[in-house]
Amino acid sequence: MIVRLERRTHVPLHLVVIAPLAAIFTALLLAAGLIAAAGVNPLMAYGEMLTGAFGSRLSITEMLTRATPLIFTGLAAAVAFRARLWNIGGEGQFFVGALITAWIGHSLGVLGWIGIPLLMLAGMAAGAALLAGPAFLRLRFGVDEVVTTLLLNFIVILFVGLMIEGPMRDPLAFGWPSSVPVDGDFRLPDLIPRTRLHIGLLIAIAAAGAVWLILARTVFGAETRAAGLNASAAAFAGISLPRTIMGVALLSGALAGLAGSVEVMGVTAGVTTTMSPGFGYAGIVVAMLAALHPAGVVAAAVFVATVFVGADAMSRATGVPSFIADVIVALCLLTMIVALLFTTYRVRR
């Protein structure tokens, strides 16, 4: 008996919905084995995780605060991956967006309602410029962007460390390595009083809507999808692949840079090398769980934020190390790849 994979001519809507749910369920089931090996009832552990993320007003707002940058980085990865531009550099683009925002925002002499959008544009420009380099190297010399974007993450973080220990060091940080903060007029307003949740969440949701409109209702979006589905056919149809890939790179990098800008203006005020627990890398998981759909990115970001925030509470209540959150997120990525395989192909005997 010969078993082969046959590409589906059309992917049913129910498979698109079921695939991420099945991937998440499988990942949680596999992680449950590790939790049980630690001597803890997995159901009790997951119950504590949900309580930690949704059990109070504070926990819900903290979860949504964590989800905000994940929406931006998830959108950045989703846009790039749709065109088969493998942007693994969301972490570096996040940090350059944050750094330029703190640098300009510390001494920008304009009113807050003017300065906030200007700082966001500056962060977007920094992130876009960082990804434009690897995109150019791919188009001009065929350099693999997976390697260049990944390595740029480490270069950027080292550069950030240099800047916050040197010219951008905050003299009021009592020796803690932190950049100078943005001016108080440029802090994003709180969405809910006396919490860390800020209007960046609304900006992130608006960004998801804007990305959906661009991809679904514009010529650029159609060219992006065509370049991702079949680059040779797209070129034969007259689409300029270099222009499309560079446009996708600028949009993807801008979204990741915006994540860093919003995080500085909404949460941290200044830049530290530890301000991101891996938002850029987790954005890849968010994009994959969303099947690269902008609307799904919002839901996937909330799920990943729930895991990270809830894992801390679960660790305190059960003694299971909070690193189980990283394991669950990594398993979600692997199981989603398998789920996408079976939604794109059917098994024939």
Side-chain angles (χ1 to χ4, degrees), residues 106-167:
H106 180 66
S107 55
L108 185 63
V110 298
L111 296 176
W113 63 273
I114 298 176
I116 287 175
L118 287 178
L119 291 177
M120 288 183 182
L121 289 173
M124 293 172 70
L130 188 65
L131 186 53
F136 172 78
L137 291 175
R138 167 183 161 172
L139 294 172
R140 184 67 178 84
F141 302 106
V143 179
D144 189 349
E145 71 274 15
V146 172
V147 176
T148 50
T149 55
L150 179 61
L151 294 180
L152 270 176
N153 289 337
F154 302 102
I155 295 172
V156 167
I157 293 174
L158 289 172
F159 177 73
V160 169
L162 171 69
M163 293 300 290
I164 65 177
E165 291 281 5

Side-chain angles (χ1 to χ4, degrees), residues 232-265:
S232 299
F236 183 78
I239 294 174
S240 173
L241 290 179
R243 185 189 64 192
T244 300
I245 293 299
M246 185 57 71
V248 167
L250 294 176
L251 178 57
S252 176
L255 287 165
L258 181 58
S261 182
V262 168
E263 188 72 2
V264 166
M265 291 190 290

Side-chain angles (χ1 to χ4, degrees), residues 268-282:
T268 62
V271 178
T272 68
T273 54
T274 58
M275 65 179 290
S276 168
F279 289 132
Y281 299 113

Side-chain angles (χ1 to χ4, degrees), residues 75 79 205-222 225 251 293-295:
L75 290 172
V79 168
I205 294 172
V211 169
W212 177 82
L213 285 174
I214 291 171
L215 293 178
R217 295 292 186 267
T218 67
V219 174
F220 173 72
R225 296 196 306 275
L251 178 57
H293 194 287

Side-chain angles (χ1 to χ4, degrees), residues 281-301:
Y281 299 113
I284 297 172
V285 181
V286 169
M288 295 301 293
L289 286 175
L292 309 184
H293 194 287
V297 164
V298 178

Side-chain angles (χ1 to χ4, degrees), residues 289-311:
L289 286 175
L292 309 184
H293 194 287
V297 164
V298 178
V302 170
F303 166 73
V304 173
T306 297
V307 172
F308 280 123
V309 173

